[in-house]
Amino acid sequence: MEPPAASAAKHQADPEIADSSGASPTSRPGTDIGSPARGGKKEQSRRIAVLVCGVPPPAVLEDVGTYVDQFAALLQRDEHAGDEEWRSWDVYKGELPTADELAPFDAILFTGGAGDAFSDEPWVVQARELVRSAHARKQRMLGVCFGHQLIAQALGGRVDRAPAWGSGATTITFDEEAREVLPNMQLPPTAAIHVSHRDQVHELPEGAKVLASAEQCPIAMFSIGDQVLCIQGHPEFNERTVRSIVDAKLQRNMMTAQEAEVSNKSYQQLGDQCQQDYALLQGICAQHLRK
């Protein structure tokens, strides 16, 4: 299945592809975006921190909302309203939690974004420090796209430019390691996933295992024990989202017409498979965050 379109009012913000200081429509510093237990009384609940590392283009915001909205749909947050609390920080704007503020959370999600995980931008440097402190506390972490790269770089891996834009739909091949790390998922040999990245992980942190690879991205998914799971692709995206991001890149001369054509044509072969594999990727992410 494919994620539904959001029915929220139109938002105004800069696209994911730009270094943006625009406000994220649904989250402010330390915004509580979860739901209390039914009956209005707080009970012991799972706590998930969402560190928002960028903002999508306006067309995506109108269609499916922010990264928080998209992950809420992917992880079916509404169905866990009684036993789950979410809180988000717009870290790409320099609004970062302290290590102590993150300490009580059961899991931390690092979203996609337009930054370079290896950069010296102050918020990126601070975000890498948060990764290291969370890892030392043995907190569960899920990193997607930029988040995948950030965690790898922070923990001793190496991130750099990819050989070419990774954009559109691609096939990932699961390694045997994935079946050991995700024993309840009944993984097929391959899956289709949406991608949108110019950087990628070139060297893994110590102790990490490759779980899946793609033709142009050998480290498409990795884990560190049962604590860290990182995915280069975007399990929360749909085809419309990627096409909107490609259009925004073209308008800013960040992608050539030929690169855009390759991205869009990938859906002729893999578009249906991406929709079918949405539920599989949904399960992988949910199982990791909710262990």
Side-chain angles (χ1 to χ4, degrees), residues 206-238:
E206 184 177 354
K209 298 178 179 180
V210 175
L211 302 187
S213 58
E215 183 177 357
Q216 295 187 10
C217 184
I219 305 174
M221 186 183 299
F222 75 87
S223 67
I224 303 176
D226 65 356
Q227 179 188 352
V228 174
L229 178 66
C230 291
I231 304 170
Q232 177 59 72
H234 282 276
E236 79 281 17
F237 275 10
N238 62 35

Side-chain angles (χ1 to χ4, degrees), residues 147-161:
H148 158 96
Q149 298 163 13
L150 181 76
I151 292 173
Q153 184 76 18
L155 298 181
R158 184 176 66 86
V159 176
D160 210 330
R161 292 285 185 258

Side-chain angles (χ1 to χ4, degrees), residues 143-149 159-160 162 166 172 193-201 217 219-222 230-235:
V144 171
C145 197
F146 174 84
H148 158 96
Q149 298 163 13
V159 176
D160 210 330
I172 58 173
I193 191 170
H194 305 283
V195 293
S196 179
H197 65 98
R198 189 66 183 89
D199 299 341
Q200 64 188 41
V201 177
C217 184
I219 305 174
M221 186 183 299
F222 75 87
C230 291
I231 304 170
Q232 177 59 72
H234 282 276

Side-chain angles (χ1 to χ4, degrees), residues 4 18 32 34 65 112 118 125 128 149 154 158 185 191 201 214 218 233 240 248:
D32 185 347
F118 49 82
V125 172
R128 290 197 297 260
Q149 298 163 13
R158 184 176 66 86
M185 289 309 304
V201 177
R240 298 185 308 275

Side-chain angles (χ1 to χ4, degrees), residues 5-26:
S7 59
K10 293 182 178 180
H11 306 299
Q12 294 297 324
D14 291 334
E16 176 219 11
I17 58 170
D19 180 13
S20 168
S21 59
S24 173
T26 62

Side-chain angles (χ1 to χ4, degrees), residues 6 51 76 101 121 130 142 162 169 191-192 201 216 223 235 244 278-279:
L51 272 58
Q76 300 175 321
E101 285 177 312
E121 290 183 80
L130 290 176
L142 173 64
V201 177
Q216 295 187 10
S223 67
S244 293
Y278 179 81

Side-chain angles (χ1 to χ4, degrees), residues 35-51:
S35 302
R38 291 175 178 83
K41 183 180 179 181
K42 281 274 188 178
E43 299 177 359
Q44 185 67 35
S45 62
R46 183 187 299 106
R47 303 188 69 192
I48 296 177
V50 185
L51 272 58

